[in-house]
Amino acid sequence: MRSRDLTDEANEAAALPWREPGLRPKGEDARPSLYRSALLDVFTLSHPAMPYLIGVPFAAICAWRAWAHGVGAGWGALLFVLGWAAWSLVEYLMHRFLFHARVESETLRIATLLAHGHHHVWPQDPRRIAATPVQLVSIALLFQGLFRLALGPDAWWAAMAGATVGYVAYELVHWVAHHGRPTTRVMRALHAHHMKHHHLAPGSRWGIGTPLWDWLFRSDR
Ligand SMILES: [Zn+2]
Ligand SMILES: [Zn+2]
């Protein structure tokens, strides 16, 4: 990736919203291409239905594989909850330390824009909200590796089912925060939490699926 692939304006606009609170790019509801290079732009896009079309059947397959490998109901339920918790912690850490990393290198800066910056420039664009296919495959492989290493060839399936359901729930909360009408108290609280990340204090409130880690790490202020 070469920096001249980027338009200067898009590059600037993408860098500003969360680094300089209060500065908003113009025309954020429009859907311009972020990059002059159509190839780079493709890597920022995803279909909003993809998390559910892939995540729900995949979670069901993982749960079935856990059962087929002899993982009992109690142990399986515990691993499911632990997998969900692991996902939400990784979601928090990635958002805080990777997606919003303050980097000097132009290549790394472009990487953060490709990974997440574009969503802050055009937060209402439905094509820039769900994880992209590259992100989805990378994170799935990471979890598969970690869970298999920690839990062995049978039990890891139950943890993977929990992490996948946690991921789908996160995508749902994020979608409702930007495009839905939160009706329950919990969803309204999650919506407010994420809107503050976008518009009030971009250097805080990194959790989207849950504010738990923000409370624990005191990043909710
Ligand atoms: Zn963000
Ligand atoms: Zn958002």
Side-chain angles (χ1 to χ4, degrees):
M1 287 186 291
R2 287 167 301 176
S3 57
R4 65 187 169 85
D5 286 337
L6 296 166
T7 66
D8 287 343
E9 315 89 83
N11 208 356
E12 269 310 299
L16 283 176
W18 74 94
R19 291 175 192 189
E20 303 289 339
L23 282 175
R24 307 292 311 154
K26 289 176 189 161
E28 64 178 19
D29 288 330
R31 297 182 186 183
S33 273
L34 182 53
Y35 302 104
R36 199 187 294 282
S37 157
L39 181 65
L40 279 184
D41 193 45
V42 161
F43 284 106
T44 71
L45 302 175
S46 183
H47 194 284
M50 199 180 69
Y52 317 102
L53 293 177
I54 292 178
V56 173
F58 184 68
I61 289 169
C62 289
W64 171 69
R65 294 299 295 166
W67 176 77
H69 280 247
V71 179
W75 178 224
L78 179 65
L79 289 172
F80 183 91
V81 172
L82 288 176
W84 190 323
W87 156 260
S88 75
L89 178 60
V90 167
E91 177 220 311
Y92 175 92
L93 294 174
M94 278 197 313
H95 191 188
R96 178 169 183 177
F97 295 108
L98 282 183
F99 293 170
H100 286 263
R102 289 167 180 268
V103 288
E104 296 299 323
S105 143
E106 185 65 9
T107 304
L108 288 178
R109 207 160 77 87
I110 293 167
T112 66
L113 300 185
L114 283 170
H116 184 64
H118 59 91
H119 172 61
H120 277 268
V121 180
W122 295 290
Q124 294 307 113
D125 188 335
R127 305 166 312 159
R128 299 181 191 278
I129 195 160
T132 64
V134 171
Q135 289 174 326
L136 208 54
V137 171
S138 311
I139 196 81
L141 289 174
L142 173 78
F143 273 103
Q144 187 210 19
L146 288 175
F147 286 156
R148 277 193 82 116
L149 210 61
L151 302 167
D154 301 323
W156 81 275
W157 287 107
M160 196 68 183
T164 307
V165 170
Y167 162 72
V168 172
Y170 146 85
E171 290 283 17
L172 186 63
V173 168
H174 199 194
W175 176 264
V176 172
H178 285 281
H179 296 282
R181 278 195 197 158
T183 48
T184 64
R185 235 180 89 197
V186 170
M187 285 306 283
R188 277 198 293 274
L190 289 169
H191 171 263
H193 190 72
H194 188 55
M195 285 305 105
K196 284 175 185 168
H197 168 69
H198 271 280
H199 304 298
L200 186 66
S204 71
R205 298 174 179 88
W206 310 103
I208 295 174
T210 170
L212 175 69
W213 305 107
D214 283 306
W215 295 338
L216 283 174
F217 298 130
R218 296 174 174 273
S219 53
D220 59 335
R221 53 205 73 187

